[in-house]
Amino acid sequence: MSTPLSQRPPQPVVGLSVAHESADPHVTGAALYTDDLVGRTTNVLHAWPVQAPHAHARVTGLQTDPALQVEGVVRVLTAADVPGVNDSGVKQDEPLFPDEVMYHGHAVCWVLAETVEAARLGAEAVEVAYEPLPSVITLTEAIEQESFQGGQRTVTRGDAAAGLERAAHRFSGEFEFGGQEHFYLETHAALASVDEAGQVFVQSSTQHPTETQEIIAHVLGLRSHEVTVQCLRMGGGFGGKEMQPHGLAAVAALGAVLTGRPVRLRLNRTQDITMTGKRHPFHASWEVGFDQEGHLEALRTTLTSDGGWSLDLSEAVLGRALCHVDNAYYVPDAEFHGRIAQTHKTSQTAFRGFGGPQGMLVLEDILGRCAPALGIDPTELRRRNLYQPGQSTPYGQPVRHAERLEAVLEEVSARADLTTRHTQIASFNATSPHRKRGIACTPVKFGISFNFTAFNQAGALVHVYKDGSVLINHGGTEMGQGLHTKMRQVAATALGLRLSAIRLAPTRTDKVPNTSATAASSGSDLNGGAVKDACEQIRERLTAVAADRLGAPIDDVRFSDGTVSAGDTSLPWSDLVKHAYLERVQLFAAGYYRTEGLHWDGVRMQGEPFKYFAYGAAVSEVEVDGFTGAHTVLRTDIVHDVGDSLSPLVDLGQIEGGFLQGVGWLTLEDLRWDTSDGDGRGRVTTSAASTYKLPSFSELPRELNVHLLEQASEDGAVYGSKAVGEPPLMLAFSVREALRQAVAAFGPTGHSVELGCPSTPEAVFWAVDAAREAAQRDGSGAAAPARTVGARTESAKTDPAYAEGSAPAPTAGESVVTGGLAD
Amino acid sequence: MSPTEITVNGTTRPCEAGPHTSLLDWLRGQGWTGAKEGCAEGECGACAVLVARPDGPERTRWVSVNACLPPALSYDGQEVITAEGLGTPTAPGQQAALHPVQREMADRGGSQCGYCTPGFVCAMAAEFYRPERDGQTPQDPTEHDHECGPNGFDLHALSGNLCRCTGYRPIRDAAYALGDPDPADPIAGRRDSAAPPARATEISGAGSTFVRPADLPDLLTRLAATPDAVLVAGATDAGVERNLRHTRPPVVLGIDRVEELRELQLTDETVEIGAALTLSEIERGLGGRVRLLDQLFPQFASRLIRNGATLGGNLGTGSPIGDAAPVLLALEAALVLASVDGEREVALADYFTGYRQSVRQPGELIKAVRIPLPLAPHTAFHKIAKRRFDDISSVAIAIALRLEGDTVASVRIGLGGVAATPVRALATEEALTGHAWDADTVARAAGVLAQEGTPLDDHRASARYRSAMLEQSLLRFFDEQGRARAKPLPKDGEGVRDLYENAGEER
């Protein structure tokens, strides 16, 4: 009697706005994270890495004896100690103890000691001899030297060359933009111990306990059933703990096996930034064609991601990037090439959005740059190109519910009062020579499911005890996103209980095996399906018992609010459970879920990799200080599609948090490496919180309004909800495009703004400087008011031929876009 | 000497930490794991705790500090509260007893991963207990009021706390929803009695010694004996050195409670600021009397840092990018240097001699900063950084201008981030002095300013941008002055105006 996946019973607990299930422990400091367990464990050894001071070098000598002379040092772990495979990746390209240093800060061995201080001093004492080798640091160098790794992929539809030929307006350009450090507040941590039977138990801050388990097992030469990984919770993950924890947990586990003592490994912030992967920076070269009305005709682009020293998840990230270049727009003729540079840097990895943001940014940047050249307001240009029902993506997936794109755009424009504010901004700018405002509206379409089809499955274990209390376990991990909160709500809904009746136990691999990473925004979809399945198995068995006790037909039995009823008769849940036990009815169940209907050819890059798309749109208004390039977000309005929300407070938090993280990536967070030829070549120069700035209160929009799209039930997901973890990050495009508008207001009418990314105050300042210069050339003066912005919207709406009609209508491509091709 | 001990959440425990153990590591070692390490350099606030500090001789003020920076021994005899001490979650057979701050944070979705949350809670609690928070809606809506709640909550209280999950909106809502402390609240009540006195402490371990001298003569004697000792007040720099660069000085002298270094004196000739007063204490003590300092404070690091950092420390480290030096250069400040041999005064402009080098002799310390009166009426502090809250300057410019009619009578411009030391923009000052204060003069002088110093390219900014920012700064100042003159005069408190020349006319 399992119900359809998306159907909600009356009075469901899903959909209620409840606080995070750990909110009280969070605010009181009682919530435990992996490293909080150290003081609660006796006899712990501490691990410290020996980090190489070269971007690329061969290790020609390793003397560990001096470290052992340091008081408190117990052991130094090297490649010789590895009983299994000396590799921490899944591609066999990441030696755990390398003999070739592949990036500045690469750990060549690890010191174990009684205290952190002794381990650090021991690491200082280890003598390593290096033979420096040539290194590739920047993307430009990698492209020039053809330093690539992994497979190259292409998404193709139609004939891009013909499409470009046919286009009324053609532009081309290049765009390189930065990566992003995860900066989860909790750095990587693992605590490993071995029990009396040789079972290895590792507490790890990991988004992917099963893979952590597998890597530990293969490093130790054990079978998976000899290794258990538990994750209590993470202090943030954002993708940074999907692949990167494995090797660190393996080092701790190796130390525990070799010494027989618990081993704690916690990276400090500098180690975390210098040793673990980040969001991939990208380079894009592109050619685009539009028709007379500004409809996209064709896009040909080559994306080059900076994968760092090893593949890690780079191929999958690139795949998602290629599947998101289109964002919300129909591109009739498409040719998207992708390749992965190999550089001597940290191995770049998953980060919220997983390549999607990078792919989407390319086309959003193109539209922002080309709109003035086309003489079309950028919001209108975006609106005209939105997918329409019936259209498919370049990789062949129909865009189901495409009408929601227009709906969210319309709704957010109305809520933000976009038209009126265009006018207000124009008059503000006309009287403000040194501060200019800009407003922009951008949409998001994001595909939900792992591109790797096998990951789209999940398991759960649900226990009902004799007293009626319920304990649930599932394969997902909690990193702050509220997954556990939602899973309790799903279980309460499926069993007809109050939330307080459901307790959730920490994620561990001996409860639910073979789990997928909690990633790709899929945690609730997959684990929710599995929890619901387990609960419904139990409920089905209990229904038979209840029908018997209540003397009613099975179809009349209802579970709601802790009571089981049929017609006028009822009994409490706990009584029913007691009876069921006495009648020898199984009160626990393993649940399983897999996403149906996916098919994907990852070589041809065609198929339907996604169960559905999540949609959203944002309007942001910014103010730019022309003296410095400093900027403030005055207001942001968001309308986002989460289906029928499982937990509105949680979803609101994901939307706002994702948005601001995106704002950080696009406007503030500036990862730098030493690209000189000096001794520090390849070093991350922004390796601390003092040099790598993430958003603080000063980046929060003064006014932030978020609305969930209503009546948005998704029939392909648990209780009609949609994934929410990643898609809102891309709502931040609205801020960067608003900055472009504000910068344009310093320039002459129709000025196309090229904006560095991240669009830091310095990047914005140089764009303002260019705009002012253009204004002077144009003769309109440095204070050229942008009064045409509002008017342009109107005329664009009423006159589709505006681009070819009235001024400014510059000849397409001329001087506005780098390397522009005139048509 | 009595055994070292710290009172945490009402329980006094012996503190057997070494001289280089931070308060955070000690707390966590004691099982108070609510405070977390997020960055170990006072940037993220995950380690924030409340400490009881003197608020005059009779009262106590709860201030928030980064526990990752100061040595635990600095808190010998002191009182500390962590998130665990503010409230407790539901336990079996027990109701949750959340603090009002915790209640608002939990109910409004102010925590997601929860790792930064105990630090936010402590920083927010300090502002909750701030006696001046009057619950009034700000009168005059200005830029600043976007950062002040209807309950008087100053959002800058949270400028040193980073959250990577929430996007901050629910935290802001929680902060702005707070009422006043309950009259029965024991933490609020604690404010009505004197703070724990400083203790003379001396502990050795692992080859190092931590000493809290009893008074200035004791301090100077010890400094004379061990001139390489590191002086630590809030340890906002020394703590970073210890945590990130692993420096382990053999002698650490804790000076944060040496009374002779904590005096604030206003005479007709000078404002004299004790070197060990925290920036927050100076801010409160001056009450807006020195406008250029008031322009500095909100931009100087975070509230958590300002609750520990001192002018003595900021100048003593000699960093070319410290924000106080440019301001004090523009104010023509002098330093009072003290040693066992007595005191001397050195103009700040003569103090720095090279990268982190100064005329300060071994055995000498900065006792106070003297700012001559009257103050120049037109001032600005322009800090160029990537982030508005709590960032390090790529360039900092402080300007103090005196006009006679429409002519520049004198101008002092202090610069940070453009040379190996903080410098005066002497060529620019000359290009302005004696000239009409108009757009032409300013444009010309701005060109001169752009050429001052020898800025570098680094991860914060390009040299080109730094030079451009120097130029723009003067243009911006001229623009600001023009707009300021167009406005009606702001109302000033008595005594404030007296520090300025031409005060009635210029303000």
Side-chain angles (χ1 to χ4, degrees), chain A residues 470-731:
Chain A
V470 179
L471 184 70
I472 64 172
N473 228 289
H474 62 88
T477 54
E478 175 65 38
M479 61 195 99
Q481 83 280 40
L483 177 60
H484 287 354
T485 311
K486 287 182 171 179
M487 294 304 96
R488 289 179 67 218
Q489 289 179 275
V490 166
T493 302
L495 294 172
L497 294 173
R498 290 180 188 174
L499 195 56
S500 57
I502 314 290
R503 194 173 169 87
L504 189 143
T507 314
R508 46 190 288 165
T509 56
D510 58 357
K511 293 282 175 55
V512 178
N514 308 328
T515 58
S516 300
T518 308
S521 309
S522 69
S524 299
D525 284 12
L526 298 178
N527 297 293
V531 168
K532 179 169 182 281
D533 175 47
C535 291
E536 288 183 343
Q537 292 174 42
I538 295 168
R539 197 184 67 194
E540 185 170 344
R541 294 177 207 138
L542 290 175
T543 302
V545 179
D548 195 37
R549 309 262 349 151
L550 297 171
I554 278 181
D555 286 350
D556 289 0
V557 176
R558 298 284 177 270
F559 291 73
S560 180
D561 205 22
T563 300
V564 185
S565 60
D568 294 339
T569 57
S570 68
L571 78 168
W573 160 269
S574 53
D575 286 1
L576 173 64
V577 168
K578 212 169 296 166
H579 290 304
Y581 170 76
L582 294 172
E583 289 175 25
R584 295 185 294 168
V585 171
Q586 186 185 344
L587 289 172
F588 58 97
Y592 180 74
Y593 173 79
R594 68 178 178 198
T595 316
E596 300 295 343
L598 305 179
H599 58 93
W600 178 240
D601 181 338
V603 176
R604 287 179 54 247
M605 298 294 280
Q606 289 291 317
E608 298 193 22
F610 305 123
K611 182 67 179 177
Y612 57 86
F613 294 101
Y615 301 112
V619 171
S620 290
E621 179 180 350
V622 302
E623 185 171 306
V624 167
D625 174 17
F627 291 116
T628 60
H631 38 79
T632 313
V633 184
L634 300 176
R635 174 175 164 183
T636 294
D637 292 81
I638 290 169
V639 174
H640 195 77
D641 167 21
V642 298
D644 274 353
S645 175
L646 290 179
S647 196
L649 188 65
V650 167
D651 285 348
L652 183 63
Q654 287 296 291
I655 293 167
E656 293 179 334
F659 166 75
L660 202 69
Q661 202 168 59
V663 171
W665 171 49
L666 294 170
T667 69
L668 175 65
E669 297 178 38
D670 200 358
L671 263 174
R672 300 291 186 98
W673 274 269
D674 184 339
T675 57
S676 75
D677 289 328
D679 286 345
R681 179 171 169 81
R683 188 176 65 87
V684 181
T685 57
T686 50
S687 61
S690 53
T691 47
Y692 185 80
K693 309 309 282 190
L694 37 145
S696 73
F697 271 103
S698 52
E699 283 61 50
L700 169 64
R702 280 185 196 165
E703 185 180 347
L704 176 60
N705 306 305
V706 179
H707 294 273
L708 305 181
L709 185 69
E710 288 170 14
Q711 300 188 324
S713 183
E714 167 56 51
D715 58 19
V718 63
Y719 291 130
S721 66
K722 275 190 179 183
V724 68
E726 293 164 293
L729 183 122
M730 282 72 77
L731 296 166

Side-chain angles (χ1 to χ4, degrees), chain A residues 130-191:
Chain A
Y130 301 98
E131 178 196 340
L133 298 169
S135 59
V136 175
I137 303 299
T138 66
L139 256 176
T140 310
E141 288 166 3
I143 292 169
E144 276 169 10
Q145 297 176 33
E146 298 189 355
S147 173
F148 299 116
Q149 58 184 332
Q152 304 202 353
R153 294 283 179 268
T154 301
V155 170
T156 316
R157 171 168 61 196
D159 184 341
L164 290 168
E165 204 56 45
R166 169 177 87 232
H169 303 280
R170 278 174 78 170
F171 310 95
S172 69
E174 289 188 49
F175 183 30
E176 187 172 338
F177 50 92
Q180 186 175 26
E181 163 59 35
H182 300 85
F183 216 109
Y184 24 63
L185 264 289
E186 179 211 25
T187 51
H188 279 283
L191 177 64

Side-chain angles (χ1 to χ4, degrees), chain B residues 338 348 452 459 497:
Chain B
L348 183 60
E452 300 264 13
H459 53 269
R497 183 173 309 189

Side-chain angles (χ1 to χ4, degrees), chain B residues 321-491:
Chain B
I321 52 175
D323 285 337
V327 165
L328 294 172
L329 282 171
L331 291 171
E332 297 183 89
L335 303 185
V336 180
L337 302 179
S339 70
V340 286
D341 299 328
E343 294 185 5
R344 63 179 175 134
E345 187 179 303
V346 176
L348 183 60
D350 300 329
Y351 176 74
F352 299 108
T353 55
Y355 181 70
R356 291 188 184 264
Q357 303 287 314
S358 72
V359 300
R360 185 160 53 91
Q361 296 297 309
E364 220 171 17
L365 56 73
I366 301 172
K367 185 189 173 206
V369 175
R370 256 178 216 156
I371 299 168
L373 297 176
L375 298 168
H378 309 285
T379 58
F381 177 63
H382 293 159
K383 174 167 177 164
I384 308 302
K386 281 179 190 159
R387 195 174 69 193
R388 189 159 55 86
F389 277 14
D390 190 16
D391 199 354
I392 294 170
S393 303
S394 52
V395 184
I397 305 107
I399 307 174
L401 171 74
R402 292 178 166 85
L403 295 178
E404 273 171 17
D406 280 331
T407 302
V408 177
S410 75
V411 61
R412 296 288 177 267
I413 303 175
L415 304 179
V418 300
T421 68
V423 292
R424 280 259 299 275
L426 296 172
T428 312
E429 292 176 6
E430 192 183 321
L432 286 166
T433 306
H435 293 272
W437 179 244
D438 59 23
D440 286 345
T441 303
V442 167
R444 192 171 42 78
V448 176
L449 186 50
Q451 304 300 318
E452 300 264 13
T454 51
L456 300 175
D457 277 316
D458 69 9
H459 53 269
R460 291 202 173 87
S462 67
R464 192 171 149 237
Y465 181 64
R466 286 185 163 102
S467 294
M469 289 304 95
L470 295 179
E471 176 173 31
Q472 294 288 322
S473 177
L474 199 60
L475 302 175
R476 177 178 161 195
F477 179 63
F478 182 70
D479 181 62
E480 286 167 356
Q481 291 304 310
R483 282 189 286 115
R485 286 173 161 209
K487 276 189 187 174
L489 296 173
K491 284 185 204 141

Side-chain angles (χ1 to χ4, degrees), chain A residues 712-757:
Chain A
S713 183
E714 167 56 51
D715 58 19
V718 63
Y719 291 130
S721 66
K722 275 190 179 183
V724 68
E726 293 164 293
L729 183 122
M730 282 72 77
L731 296 166
F733 292 143
S734 61
V735 171
R736 186 165 179 273
E737 293 307 309
L739 285 173
R740 192 193 305 277
Q741 295 298 105
V743 170
F746 286 96
T749 304
H751 175 67
S752 174
V753 175
E754 286 186 42
L755 194 53
C757 193

